[in-house]
Amino acid sequence: YWSFHNLLNNFNKPILVGEFGGHVLKNAAARLDIEVHIGTWSMAMIPYAGSTGYWWWPWLHYMDRYNHLGALASFMKGEDRRGKEFRQISSFDEDSLTITTGVEAIGLSNATMADLWVFNSKIRNVVPVRLRRKGPIKGVTLVIKNMTDGNYTVEFWDAYTGKVTGKIKAAAADGSLSIALPPVHPDYAMKVRKAN
């Protein structure tokens, strides 16, 4: 997110990241798994021209880490973002989105829909299993700004299995859509769609 927002977004041109990932011989297995997971989901929630692969493809292939890619593929199945005038929204930009402390979110939104990845702020440095042991962050509220007033359907997706784990209804008023989130441990994805 930081690279796109601060270095690349100003050019108003399609952007594609060539690769991502730290050195496979200088990082523990858990660190490589964290990189695959957060890289896969974060790139899908930033307005790049497309996604890219993890640099250490042998790690993906021979250690069978395809589940990270499969979860995102399930989330994106049947979706077409072209021509929908998505804008970047992020908990790093309070004019677009706000969320409870300790939790972050990035995503893409227009006036009637949004795709988001919500995550424990420590996910970049702590193995997800350890985050789960510490327990979920509860009582989280997320507010998406600049939304058309009305009723919305919100789906929650497991970011590891690519399965829907819950669905709720929410309503936007005065351009803001406030959503009471399920506990965060350590992350999940969301689809927000205006009801017909």
Side-chain angles (χ1 to χ4, degrees), residues 99-101 103 136-142 179-184 188:
I99 196 165
T100 306
T101 302
V103 180
I137 300 173
K138 298 178 180 178
V140 179
T141 300
L142 178 143
I179 305 168
L181 300 184
V184 179
Y188 49 78

Side-chain angles (χ1 to χ4, degrees), residues 7-81:
L7 302 174
L8 304 171
N9 191 31
N10 300 330
F11 297 107
N12 197 28
K13 295 184 181 294
I15 300 164
L16 185 65
V17 174
E19 66 211 27
F20 73 93
H23 200 290
V24 75
L25 299 178
K26 296 181 181 177
N27 288 288
R31 179 73 216 163
L32 297 174
D33 283 342
I34 289 170
E35 289 176 353
V36 171
H37 186 74
I38 66 175
T40 298
W41 280 100
S42 62
M43 273 198 285
M45 301 299 171
I46 298 173
Y48 288 126
S51 191
T52 189
Y54 188 57
W55 174 248
W56 300 104
W57 62 266
W59 179 258
L60 278 175
H61 184 70
Y62 294 111
M63 302 307 288
D64 193 19
R65 296 313 200 245
Y66 288 111
N67 62 305
H68 297 289
L69 306 178
L72 177 60
S74 295
F75 181 82
M76 292 303 301
K77 186 174 182 178
E79 299 288 344
D80 185 353
R81 291 176 170 173

Side-chain angles (χ1 to χ4, degrees), residues 116-119 156-159 181-190:
L116 295 127
W117 178 50
V118 176
F119 54 97
F156 300 99
W157 290 67
D158 187 302
L181 300 184
V184 179
H185 64 298
D187 65 328
Y188 49 78
M190 296 171 56

Side-chain angles (χ1 to χ4, degrees), residues 121-159:
S121 302
K122 296 178 180 175
I123 198 171
R124 289 183 292 269
N125 300 309
V126 180
V127 177
V129 171
R130 289 187 188 152
L131 289 177
R132 286 190 187 98
R133 283 188 201 136
K134 292 181 179 181
I137 300 173
K138 298 178 180 178
V140 179
T141 300
L142 178 143
V143 179
I144 306 172
K145 314 285 181 69
N146 306 307
M147 300 295 282
T148 301
D149 290 355
N151 295 320
Y152 287 78
T153 300
V154 181
E155 285 183 349
F156 300 99
W157 290 67
D158 187 302

